[in-house]
Structure formats: C-alpha cells, structure tokens
Amino acid sequence: MTNGFTLVIHGGAGVLPSDTMTDEKAAGYHAALDRVLAAGEAILAADGSALDAVEAAVCALEDEPLFNAGRGAVFTREGTHEMDAAIMEGRDRRAGAVAGIFGPRNPIRSARAVMERTDHVLMIGEGALDVARQAELPFEEADYFFTQERWDSLTATLKMERSGALDDDPSRRHGTVGAVARDRSGALAAATSTGGMTAKRAGRVGDSPVIGAGTLADNRSCAISATGDGEVFLRLSVAHEIDARIRLTGETLDQAAARVVGEDLTALGGSGGLVAVGADGSFATPFNCEGMYRGWSVEDGPRETRIY
Amino acid sequence: MTNGFTLVIHGGAGVLPSDTMTDEKAAGYHAALDRVLAAGEAILAADGSALDAVEAAVCALEDEPLFNAGRGAVFTREGTHEMDAAIMEGRDRRAGAVAGIFGPRNPIRSARAVMERTDHVLMIGEGALDVARQAELPFEEADYFFTQERWDSLTATLKMERSGALDDDPSRRHGTVGAVARDRSGALAAATSTGGMTAKRAGRVGDSPVIGAGTLADNRSCAISATGDGEVFLRLSVAHEIDARIRLTGETLDQAAARVVGEDLTALGGSGGLVAVGADGSFATPFNCEGMYRGWSVEDGPRETRIY
C-alpha cells in the first residue's frame, strides 16, 4: 500500500497493425499519450481527486483526433457519430453514463453531469443531451468531430462489406479511450469514452457506457476501463468480474485481470484489453491482441507510454 | 440436481401497499400471475427450452395491463412510453437487449431479435426499432399501451412533485416484469422487460436491459431477473454479483441472493428484489421491500403465486 498516486490511460486496443505503423506515426501516438498523462498527472500531483484526474485525462483523449472518442470518433454506417461514455467513483460506486449522443464536445463530461445532476446512472439520446445542455457543457457541430482518416475507414469498411470481405483490421473494428486513477487519499475512479465501431448500425451500444462491463470503480478492489469487442465484454461483465474476483477470492489485481482477459474473454472469442488500478496503487494493462495504446504515471516515476 | 424444470416469474417489486390492496384486486394479480406461469410451463413441460419459456412468460406479462411492461407500461414525464428489455441464455452467455423503444407490442421479442439477428447485444432507440421491423414483429399504437391507472399515477406523481412532496409509493416508483427458467436439459435463461419509472425523464435507462445488472443467465451458476431501484442495481451489477458469488465462493443460490439483496442492496439504500433459478433447479425470490408480485412452477408441483 502506497500513499502515492497512480494514473493509467488507454487510447484503445484497436492499434494500427505493426507492419503499417511508421516511426513518425508511432512518435505521434506516444506524444499524444504523454500529453494526456500530463493532464491527469497535474491534478493528482496537486492532491486532486481521482475523479477529476480521470475526467481530465479522458477529455484530453477525446480532444485528440488520433483516438476514437470525441474529436476523431469513428462514423456509423450512415456517416454520423454516436458516442458513449461512463464515469464512476469508487467510494460508494456512484456512476454516470451516456449512450447514443452527438453534440457535446466531451461526452465524458456529459456522463459526469448525469452522475452529479440527476438521480440516474444511464441516460441515452435526447434525454442525455438535455442534461448536458442544462449543465451548459460546450457543444460542437459535425465538422469539429470530422477526421479524414475516420471517413476513409468508413468508406473502406463499407466497400469490404459489399465485396463480402471480412474487415479484420482492429484499428477500424474497435477503439475506445479511458483512464483509471488512484489519488493520494486512496480513492479510485474510472472513465471511458468511445465513438464505437466503424460502420456500426445506428443504435448499437457497446460496453463502454455500461457500468460493470467497460467501466467500474470500487475503492475496495479496483478501477477499470476496457476496450475491445464490446459485445463480449458486455456478456461477461468483464470489469465487474475482475472486481468480484479481487473482493471474493483474494486474487491480486494482476491475477484477476490476467485471468479474465487471458482466459474468459479469449474463450468467447473476444479481442481487447483494459487498464486497471488496484486499491493498493498497483496497476495492470492486459490485452489479448496485437497492442493497446496505453501509458501510466506513478508518483515519483517517469511517464511511460506503450503501443505493442 | 433434478432433471425437472423450474420457472419463476415476477411482476415487479412495486406492489400496491397492503393497506390499499383489496381482496378483489389481489385475486386479479394472482390470476394474472397464474396465467403467465401456465404460458411458460406449457413450453417447459413439452421439453421446450428455457429461452422459449422465459420469452413466452414475459410476453404474457407484457400483454397483461396490470404490470409495468408492454401494455400497461408507465408514462414518462412527457406522457410517452419508453420501454427496455433484455434476454439471455446460459449456455454461452449469449444476450440481446433494447432500451428506449416504443412501438413493438412485445419489447422482449425485440431483445431476442437483437440477440439472434445482429452481432450486437444492446441496441437503443430507432436502431433497435429497425431490427424489430426487419424481424417483422407486431407494432402497436399509443392507445394499445394506454391504461387509465398508469395515466392517473403520472398525474399524481407530477402533482406531488409540484407540491414538493416525496413520492414514496413503490407502485409508482418502480415496476418491472421478468422470468427465469431451467429446462429439462439443464439450460438456464432469463428475461426482463419494463416501462421504467413513472414520470421518469426521457432517456433514463435502468438496470433491466443491462446484462449483469438486471438480467443474467449462466448455466454454471444461475439465471436472474431483477426489479427495483434500477440505479442501485446498476451500480452494484446485482445479477452478476450473485452469479460471481456462486461461481467463485461456493455459496448456494439462496445464500448469494440473500446476501446481495439483504446486505449490499440495502446498504446503498436500494429497494427491490429479484427472481433467480440455480443450475440445480433450486430457486430464490428475495426482496427487501413490502412485496413483489411473483410465482413459480416446478416439475410435478402446483403453480404458486405470492404478493407480500
């Protein structure tokens, strides 16, 4: 048990295949992850809360066009954006989440508004947008969220579908951003945000905004933010399974996370990973695919970032 | 371990307070629950699947105006209906769910269509309705779902809100329907459907359509359908917590369900209950409030129904 802070972030398990990743592109991803870590770290180093730190880190990830959330979110098959996000704090498992929204610049702030300004946990569509408007959160038009690269991905995926080819490029199939933190007081928090899958059907919701599947925080056990094949994460309640294993079996965070990602997820054919921080400040970043954009910052340690 | 079937249903933990329940009303509820049990039992007694049985039972509950799902669903504060439903089978944790829909006569059939006709688990709004249309499920207009009693509840709740009074009548605050079953082959399934809370904000989604919160099935452990304060069930991943306790600690279904409803739920101020069936055919119907409309049918046993 340490009294220092821990912050762990991810920019999704849908990394560019290593044979198409150039040094220049990789440097861009590392630099972006480092900026995100710096944003969250600044809060924790000033004795801020884990909740504020994960919100700030996810806002920075959403603002960064390289990652699939907020600006740079992928397109649905209709060429629109539908975003989902969730935030949770570990003291009393208070949580807020939004699904199927378009407009707020930072969906994660909409999720926090649901947590703090309503009696509800999960809100969708127009009702969720009303909460964001009442909270006076900034909204953006479609051109703000547009990136040529995501548009090209949509075109490529739809073309492959028409020709009957299977789109197995993970960088198109899934992408999500998230952060987990433990602050100096020992409190945990988790936040996740996503644009979903490229060319997804309108109305599809994955695991990101589902408490216990893609997002979870409990001061007794861990905080988790997941990325990958959302449907499998939902069917397994991946985040809550790790939380339960720690609380009920005495497994360490490392053991529980490795077991659920390496065995349970893999057994159902699910691909992806997650970032997790434990009540003791330890952390884990397991994934069962080629890579996961990720990074961490621990009290008195250097910021570190990884892709593969 | 028995080779017989077990079916357990609920019509929600939002029962009429016992001091306002007349003998005539109670007889109506018992008769309705008995008809629902008969519908599911007929399938199980003919060697049908747990999945078909819970779908048939929930369709019957949705068709019955006494309960808050399908016909007889409560109204949002705008006087509209928004319905949620989920279905799951225990063999490989396959699941389908819909949230925020209006139109399909039986939302539970929409959830099953998501499970069987798409690669997705959770779909919301228009996207979910498209799946129901493609499956050629029957749709109904607003007058089909209308009941004077639910409309009067909305009026009463809004009036209380204007006068600053707290609406603590559980029959207005929450109601949900659900069924869990074990068939003769030992397979489990769960289904849940709801109109949500009277006078809820548009876009609010509770635990019913969330796999691991209000609905869960795993042949290794149990099948669960919950009813109550959806937000607390979501924060605790109630259904998955019971499933995890059985799988990971060796607790019986009775012990795990009693612990989660009696202690964890109550500790966070959550009111409600659930129906559960175990891999061995045992069942439990715990609740921490005044009552829960419920009933069960076990191979070679009589159909039984309870309210308080």
Side-chain angles (χ1 to χ4, degrees):
Chain A
M1 180 73 77
T2 151
N3 286 319
F5 66 76
T6 304
L7 171 69
V8 193
I9 62 167
H10 70 82
V15 301
L16 287 176
S18 55
D19 54 8
T20 65
M21 178 70 85
T22 62
D23 285 351
E24 190 187 340
K25 281 184 184 172
Y29 281 107
H30 283 293
L33 290 168
D34 190 73
R35 286 193 297 273
V36 170
L37 283 173
E41 188 189 85
I43 290 170
L44 294 167
D47 286 328
S49 71
L51 185 67
D52 287 340
V54 296
E55 184 194 12
V58 169
C59 279
L61 286 156
E62 288 173 337
D63 293 345
E64 172 55 62
L66 284 174
F67 304 116
N68 174 19
R71 194 176 181 195
V74 300
F75 290 93
T76 67
R77 58 191 314 107
E78 285 83 16
T80 60
H81 292 295
E82 289 185 354
M83 304 181 199
D84 311 325
I87 194 163
M88 187 165 188
E89 58 176 359
R91 194 182 43 187
D92 54 3
R93 293 177 82 112
R94 211 160 58 116
V98 292
I101 66 168
F102 171 76
R105 185 193 303 166
N106 292 107
I108 197 65
R109 295 186 65 192
S110 297
R112 185 163 176 174
V114 168
M115 177 170 82
E116 296 185 336
R117 302 171 66 96
T118 78
D119 294 330
H120 303 317
V121 168
L122 175 57
M123 295 194 70
I124 62 177
E126 277 301 316
L129 292 176
D130 283 342
V131 175
R133 286 185 200 105
Q134 284 159 17
E136 298 181 0
L137 298 180
F139 277 59
E140 299 289 351
E141 302 294 329
D143 60 345
Y144 170 82
F145 298 102
F146 179 91
T147 54
Q148 189 62 45
E149 192 174 25
R150 299 299 187 190
W151 186 259
D152 294 344
S153 289
L154 173 65
T155 309
T157 299
L158 293 178
K159 190 173 166 187
M160 264 187 281
E161 281 185 10
R162 279 193 302 271
S163 70
L166 192 68
D167 183 5
D168 60 354
D169 180 342
S171 71
R172 280 193 292 266
R173 262 175 58 226
H174 44 64
T176 300
V177 308
V180 294
R182 176 189 188 274
D183 62 32
R184 286 177 177 156
S185 80
L188 304 183
T192 310
S193 180
T194 189
M197 300 158 63
T198 297
K200 68 181 176 184
R201 292 174 76 135
R204 178 263 184 182
V205 177
D207 63 314
S208 303
V210 174
I211 301 305
T215 305
L216 183 114
D218 188 320
N219 286 358
R220 298 170 296 173
S221 55
C222 60
I224 291 174
S225 171
T227 168
D229 293 324
E231 278 70 16
V232 184
F233 283 75
L234 270 173
R235 288 159 58 198
L236 292 172
S237 300
V238 161
H240 189 266
E241 178 75 3
I242 294 171
D243 157 48
R245 295 190 80 93
I246 296 170
R247 280 185 292 108
L248 302 175
T249 73
E251 285 181 0
T252 65
L253 175 68
D254 245 345
Q255 290 168 333
R259 158 73 195 234
V260 173
V261 172
E263 297 184 31
D264 301 350
L265 185 68
T266 306
L268 283 192
S271 164
L274 52 88
V275 294
V277 60
D280 62 358
S282 64
F283 69 92
T285 63
F287 53 93
N288 69 354
C289 45
E290 188 179 7
M292 177 170 72
Y293 301 116
R294 61 200 186 281
W296 52 88
S297 169
V298 178
E299 182 107 36
D300 299 328
R303 294 196 291 268
E304 301 198 41
T305 60
R306 301 279 190 280
I307 298 178
Y308 300 101
Chain B
M1 181 72 76
T2 149
N3 287 318
F5 66 77
T6 304
L7 172 68
V8 192
I9 62 166
H10 71 82
V15 301
L16 288 176
S18 56
D19 54 6
T20 65
M21 178 68 86
T22 62
D23 285 352
E24 191 186 338
K25 281 184 184 170
Y29 281 106
H30 283 293
L33 290 168
D34 189 74
R35 284 193 297 274
V36 170
L37 283 172
E41 188 188 87
I43 290 169
L44 294 167
D47 287 327
S49 71
L51 185 67
D52 288 340
V54 296
E55 184 195 12
V58 169
C59 279
L61 286 156
E62 290 174 336
D63 292 345
E64 171 55 64
L66 285 174
F67 303 115
N68 174 20
R71 193 176 180 196
V74 300
F75 290 92
T76 67
R77 57 192 314 107
E78 285 83 17
T80 60
H81 292 294
E82 289 185 355
M83 304 182 201
D84 309 326
I87 194 163
M88 188 165 186
E89 58 176 0
R91 195 182 41 186
D92 53 4
R93 292 178 84 114
R94 210 161 59 117
V98 291
I101 67 167
F102 172 77
R105 186 193 302 168
N106 291 108
I108 197 66
R109 296 185 65 192
S110 296
R112 185 163 176 174
V114 169
M115 177 170 84
E116 296 184 336
R117 300 170 68 96
T118 78
D119 293 330
H120 303 317
V121 168
L122 174 57
M123 296 195 67
I124 63 178
E126 278 303 317
L129 292 176
D130 283 342
V131 176
R133 287 185 199 106
Q134 284 159 15
E136 298 182 1
L137 298 180
F139 276 58
E140 300 288 350
E141 302 293 329
D143 60 345
Y144 169 82
F145 298 102
F146 180 90
T147 55
Q148 189 62 44
E149 192 175 27
R150 299 298 187 190
W151 187 259
D152 294 345
S153 289
L154 173 64
T155 310
T157 298
L158 293 178
K159 192 174 166 188
M160 264 187 281
E161 281 185 9
R162 279 194 300 272
S163 70
L166 193 69
D167 184 5
D168 60 355
D169 180 342
S171 71
R172 280 193 291 266
R173 262 177 55 227
H174 44 64
T176 300
V177 309
V180 293
R182 176 189 187 276
D183 62 32
R184 285 177 176 155
S185 79
L188 304 183
T192 310
S193 180
T194 189
M197 301 158 65
T198 298
K200 69 181 175 185
R201 293 174 77 135
R204 177 263 184 182
V205 177
D207 62 314
S208 302
V210 175
I211 300 305
T215 305
L216 184 115
D218 189 319
N219 285 358
R220 298 170 296 173
S221 55
C222 60
I224 290 174
S225 171
T227 167
D229 292 325
E231 278 70 15
V232 184
F233 283 75
L234 270 172
R235 287 159 57 199
L236 291 171
S237 301
V238 160
H240 189 266
E241 178 74 6
I242 295 172
D243 158 47
R245 295 190 79 92
I246 296 171
R247 280 186 292 108
L248 302 175
T249 74
E251 285 181 0
T252 64
L253 175 67
D254 245 346
Q255 290 167 334
R259 157 74 194 235
V260 174
V261 172
E263 296 182 33
D264 301 348
L265 185 67
T266 307
L268 283 193
S271 165
L274 53 86
V275 295
V277 61
D280 62 358
S282 64
F283 69 94
T285 64
F287 53 94
N288 69 353
C289 45
E290 189 180 5
M292 178 170 72
Y293 300 116
R294 62 201 186 280
W296 52 87
S297 168
V298 178
E299 182 107 34
D300 299 328
R303 294 196 292 268
E304 300 198 41
T305 60
R306 301 279 190 280
I307 298 178
Y308 300 102

